[in-house]
């Protein structure tokens, strides 16, 4: 805006080219980290940037997140967004101050669904008895609740997803330390043949993962086979 004559003389420069030129000239005065330029003494990571965006927004839509991520030249960093905002449906995050969870009452309702040690999030498909928190209950709102507010339950999953709430609602005293351990138990207890295609189909169908791919699936199948044989 201020130096359009210079910019127009170098229209062959890409955004990355401009960034690297600025870094070369101003690297001693500013911090350059990916597409983020910040104070020399306050280096910001992409996690920091997405956390600040979520924490400073009363309302934040998925479209706004995607546009921001494109401007940053990166995928959406969902973890810091979920840590600093509450996702209430498939398109909207709100500030944490806007939702008021009744923890004991909500956990008591989850007890009715989770009669064992865990259930997939999608198994909770009836929200009529859940206490009102300021927004209608959805699987996404439940995902945020279990991840950050519940006293009796925790969320185990392979990562937050753009279009679906996936993963498991797990009792905190159930003894599952990570998502892989849980998936091994799911596969062991299933009636399917323990081979890759059937395993991935089951995990997607039951809502534990979003896509028919999982980096450690072969390892999980070996562990599940050994556990089933015992």
């Amino acid at each position: 805006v201020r130096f359009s004559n210079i910019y127009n003389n170098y229209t062959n420069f890409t955004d990355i080219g401009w960034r690297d030129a600025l870094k070369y000239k101003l690297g001693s005065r500013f911090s350059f980290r990916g597409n983020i330029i910040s104070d020399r003494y306050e280096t910001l990571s992409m996690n920091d940037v997405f956390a600040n965006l979520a924490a400073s927004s009363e309302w934040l839509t998925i479209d706004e997140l995607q546009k921001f991520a494109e401007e940053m030249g990166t995928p959406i960093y969902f973890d810091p967004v979920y840590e600093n905002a509450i996702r209430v449906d498939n398109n909207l995050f709100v500030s944490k101050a806007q939702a008021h969870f009744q923890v004991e009452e909500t956990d008591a309702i989850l007890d009715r669904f989770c009669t064992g040690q865990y259930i997939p999030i999608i198994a909770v498909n009836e929200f009529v008895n859940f206490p009102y928190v300021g927004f209608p209950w959805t699987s996404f709102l439940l995902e945020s609740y279990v991840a950050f507010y519940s006293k009796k339950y925790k969320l185990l999953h392979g990562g937050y997803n753009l279009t679906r709430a996936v993963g498991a609602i797990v009792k905190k005293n159930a003894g599952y330390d990570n998502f892989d351990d849980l998936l091994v138990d799911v596969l062991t207890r299933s009636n399917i043949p323990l081979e890759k295609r059937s395993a991935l189909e089951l995990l997607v169908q039951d809502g534990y993962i979003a896509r028919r791919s999982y980096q450690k699936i072969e390892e999980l199948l070996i562990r599940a086979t050994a556990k089933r044989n015992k």
Side-chain angles (χ1 to χ4, degrees):
V1 172
R2 293 177 58 189
F3 303 102
S4 58
N5 59 322
I6 295 177
Y7 186 86
N8 291 333
N9 287 337
Y10 296 94
T11 54
N12 59 317
F13 272 41
T14 63
D15 288 345
I16 294 176
W18 278 106
R19 184 194 67 197
D20 288 347
L22 289 170
K23 182 178 180 180
Y24 177 78
K25 296 294 291 184
L26 303 174
S28 62
R29 295 171 55 189
F30 296 91
S31 167
F32 289 79
R33 189 167 182 174
N35 280 346
I36 305 168
I37 305 172
S38 59
D39 187 278
R40 178 185 176 188
Y41 301 104
E42 189 180 356
T43 300
L44 297 177
S45 68
M46 203 62 75
N47 265 312
D48 296 327
V49 171
F50 276 91
N52 290 340
L53 174 68
S56 62
S57 302
E58 286 294 307
W59 309 84
L60 185 62
T61 67
I62 290 293
D63 289 341
E64 289 169 334
L65 267 177
Q66 288 181 311
K67 182 179 179 181
F68 181 75
E70 289 172 4
E71 291 173 351
M72 290 290 101
T74 183
I76 298 173
Y77 278 55
F78 272 119
D79 284 348
V81 174
Y82 272 83
E83 289 167 7
N84 291 276
I86 296 172
R87 188 171 185 178
V88 296
D89 57 34
N90 66 326
N91 186 52
L92 183 65
F93 288 86
V94 301
S95 65
K96 290 201 167 187
Q98 294 191 55
H100 306 281
F101 292 109
Q102 299 179 48
V103 175
E104 291 185 4
E105 292 85 348
T106 306
D107 280 354
I109 293 174
L110 286 178
D111 288 340
R112 303 177 196 171
F113 288 93
C114 188
T115 56
Q117 298 299 313
Y118 59 84
I119 53 172
I121 290 177
I122 64 172
V124 183
N125 51 20
E126 175 79 42
F127 294 106
V128 65
N129 292 320
F130 279 70
Y132 187 63
V133 299
F135 301 91
W137 279 94
T138 65
S139 295
F140 290 105
L141 184 57
L142 179 63
E143 178 185 47
S144 288
Y145 169 78
V146 174
F148 299 103
Y149 294 93
S150 175
K151 291 181 179 179
K152 296 180 64 175
Y153 294 91
K154 63 182 178 180
L155 177 69
L156 288 181
H157 62 169
Y160 295 105
N161 186 265
L162 179 66
T163 59
R164 296 179 61 193
V166 293
I169 300 170
V170 185
K171 290 181 178 177
K172 289 184 176 181
N173 61 2
Y176 298 100
D177 296 327
N178 56 63
F179 190 47
D180 286 350
D181 290 346
L182 179 74
L183 293 185
V184 168
D185 192 68
V186 171
L187 294 172
T188 302
R189 294 173 183 273
S190 71
N191 295 320
I192 65 167
L194 293 178
E195 51 88 19
K196 183 176 179 179
R197 183 175 179 179
S198 297
L200 291 173
E201 182 67 30
L202 172 76
L203 295 178
V204 170
Q205 181 178 320
D206 287 358
Y208 290 102
I209 60 176
R211 298 181 301 166
R212 289 172 178 80
S213 64
Y214 195 76
Q215 186 175 5
K216 297 182 180 179
I217 189 62
E218 286 86 0
E219 176 188 331
L220 300 186
L221 287 168
I222 292 171
R223 292 174 56 190
T225 300
K227 192 172 180 180
R228 184 183 283 185
N229 289 339
K230 290 182 181 179

